[in-house]
Amino acid sequence: MTTSDTHPDRTRSRKSPVQLAALLYAVVFLLVGVAGFIPGVTTGYDTMQFIGHHSEAMLLGIFQVSILHNIVHLLYGVLGVIMARTGGAARVFLRWGGAVYLLLWLYGLFIDKDSAANFVPLNSADDWLHLVLGVTMIALSFLPRHANRAEVAERRGRPRRR
């Protein structure tokens, strides 16, 4: 007898691989959003602006941030935590979130960094991080939505094999 045989709720409450990936990304977004508001972790904190490329605040001394940028990370994190509750929603979060990051990467490549179009703001380090985030989020969206085969069988209404 396995643990899931004696405690069926444990199987049901386990997170699937795609849920874990979405939750991991969500927590990182939350941490980055908070870190963007911490002087020291964010250099040039006193120059941070709400919006625009004039903000010289740099998260970890590398990534240009603004209040808006930090708020977007926090919102992404909250959305990710909520959507990681189910496999299907976690998949949507990773896939569409990744697509948004790929679009943001392209946007960052083509805009003039010293123009009003750079409202987020973005620098080259942000651009390449957005590429990595976009590709990895989309790739991870293909992870299984269910914790194990027994859960898949149960959701399909079939008895599971022992």
Side-chain angles (χ1 to χ4, degrees):
M1 233 185 225
T2 66
T3 304
S4 62
D5 290 338
T6 57
H7 299 285
D9 290 340
R10 287 190 185 176
T11 301
R12 225 175 263 152
S13 67
R14 271 199 304 198
K15 299 239 181 269
S16 69
V18 75
Q19 287 175 279
L20 291 172
L23 189 57
L24 174 68
Y25 274 71
V27 168
V28 169
F29 286 129
L30 288 170
L31 291 173
V32 166
V34 169
F37 289 115
I38 300 174
V41 176
T42 299
T43 59
Y45 186 82
D46 56 330
T47 67
M48 187 181 302
Q49 296 183 1
F50 182 77
I51 195 169
H53 67 281
H54 297 294
S55 179
E56 294 299 321
M58 304 286 275
L59 178 62
L60 303 173
I62 302 170
F63 305 102
Q64 190 174 11
V65 293
S66 65
I67 294 170
L68 174 64
H69 204 149
N70 294 333
I71 290 171
V72 168
H73 285 130
L74 290 170
L75 292 174
Y76 239 71
V78 169
L79 182 64
V81 167
I82 291 168
M83 293 184 78
R85 294 172 75 186
T86 68
R91 179 169 284 170
V92 168
F93 170 74
L94 289 169
R95 195 164 292 163
W96 286 100
V100 168
Y101 270 106
L102 289 178
L103 288 173
L104 194 54
W105 169 64
L106 290 172
Y107 181 77
L109 289 180
F110 291 108
I111 62 163
D112 176 3
K113 299 284 197 260
D114 293 322
S115 73
N118 190 13
F119 65 95
V120 175
L122 304 170
N123 63 13
S124 292
D126 289 306
D127 294 339
W128 296 108
L129 178 62
H130 293 155
L131 171 63
V132 170
L133 287 171
V135 168
T136 59
M137 288 176 78
I138 289 171
L140 291 171
S141 76
F142 290 96
L143 287 170
R145 290 185 320 170
H146 303 290
N148 60 36
R149 286 187 197 140
E151 185 178 340
V152 172
E154 184 177 307
R155 288 179 187 247
R156 292 182 180 160
R158 296 183 209 148
R160 68 181 168 157
R161 295 180 190 172
R162 293 190 178 179

